[in-house]
Amino acid sequence: MDKEIAALVKACAEGHRLSQERLYKLFYADMLRTCIRYVKTDDLAREALNTAFLKVFQHLHTYEAFKGTLEAWMRTIMIRTCIDLNRKECKFEAATLADDFSHEQAFVAPEILDKLYAQDLIGLIRHLPYATQLVFNLSVIDGYSHKEIADRLEIGEATSRWHLSEGKKQLRKLLLSNTESDIHYHTENKGEKK
């Protein structure tokens, strides 16, 4: 960790308000993007962000730089806070057919992906059922294993795999339907200009 961040962390842990404000502003955008991926609305994302930052400041004295970056440590707190915030809404059902899901990878044509922006993808992911969205984000975006997801969410690994597979299927359908509506829209507009 560079000396400036180390000094900032030390000052924040000692309760210096200006340092805490500076740390908050320094990581605000990245941490908000993390929260947006895990909750259904922007308002909930801001609520999760502020709750998580409170936890960060309360536990900053426990942060150990040799175990990882400050950003990774904070992101873990953000993700856990988002999970806790939505736990009541999130109802996981055990997958009864543990091995009855497709291991196929979702294929989306590169030309479709070229048209999408990060905000569009987040919007599509938000259309997934919450449990599926949560597992998809943890696995695909943040790189957690199914064992880690199962432990964190208190579900079975098979359930985690099922939600990931289901999320990929649903996203594929959403991507294809959005592309088809784009093609239809552009075709109609070209016809009007003639």
Side-chain angles (χ1 to χ4, degrees):
M1 176 168 39
D2 73 16
K3 292 177 184 181
E4 183 180 342
I5 294 290
L8 187 59
V9 167
K10 184 177 186 290
C12 288
E14 292 171 354
H16 297 165
R17 295 279 183 216
L18 290 175
S19 296
Q20 290 174 344
E21 182 180 342
R22 188 163 169 242
L23 184 74
Y24 181 86
K25 288 178 179 178
L26 185 64
F27 288 100
Y28 176 86
D30 287 338
M31 296 303 126
L32 181 60
R33 279 192 291 274
T34 297
C35 292
I36 285 172
R37 289 196 319 261
Y38 283 94
V39 295
K40 289 284 187 191
T41 67
D42 291 346
D43 289 338
L44 277 176
R46 283 187 206 75
E47 181 181 337
L49 175 83
N50 289 325
T51 302
F53 262 112
L54 180 62
K55 292 177 184 178
V56 165
F57 293 130
Q58 289 172 338
H59 300 284
L60 201 54
H61 66 280
T62 66
Y63 168 67
E64 297 171 330
F66 69 89
K67 289 186 177 179
T69 67
L70 178 64
E71 185 175 0
W73 181 79
M74 290 172 62
R75 184 169 283 112
T76 299
I77 292 172
M78 297 292 156
I79 292 169
R80 288 179 180 170
T81 301
C82 289
I83 291 169
D84 291 344
L85 182 66
N86 286 304
R87 193 174 294 275
K88 291 177 186 172
E89 294 177 33
C90 182
K91 303 224 186 290
F92 285 100
E93 295 178 14
T96 55
L97 303 172
D99 294 321
D100 193 31
F101 60 87
S102 172
H103 287 283
E104 68 184 64
Q105 292 294 318
F107 173 77
V108 179
E111 58 271 11
I112 294 172
L113 292 177
D114 289 342
K115 294 178 184 176
L116 293 172
Y117 294 98
Q119 200 62 33
D120 296 326
L121 288 172
I122 290 170
L124 290 175
I125 292 169
R126 281 185 169 176
H127 281 87
L128 298 174
Y130 182 70
T132 302
Q133 173 190 345
L134 188 57
V135 171
F136 182 87
N137 280 328
L138 286 168
S139 177
V140 174
I141 296 176
D142 290 311
Y144 286 89
S145 70
H146 287 294
K147 180 175 180 2
E148 291 169 322
I149 294 169
D151 290 346
R152 176 138 312 141
L153 301 179
E154 299 173 357
I155 60 173
E157 287 183 51
T159 303
S160 176
R161 286 187 193 92
W162 182 86
H163 279 289
L164 179 60
S165 176
E166 189 63 22
K168 288 178 179 180
K169 287 178 193 174
Q170 289 183 30
L171 278 177
R172 185 179 322 129
K173 288 178 186 174
L174 288 169
L175 286 168
L176 291 175
S177 68
N178 280 356
T179 302
E180 288 170 4
S181 64
D182 273 352
I183 291 169
H184 182 69
Y185 172 78
H186 291 302
T187 304
E188 285 180 353
N189 285 342
K190 283 182 182 179
E192 290 174 3
K193 290 179 183 177
K194 287 183 179 180

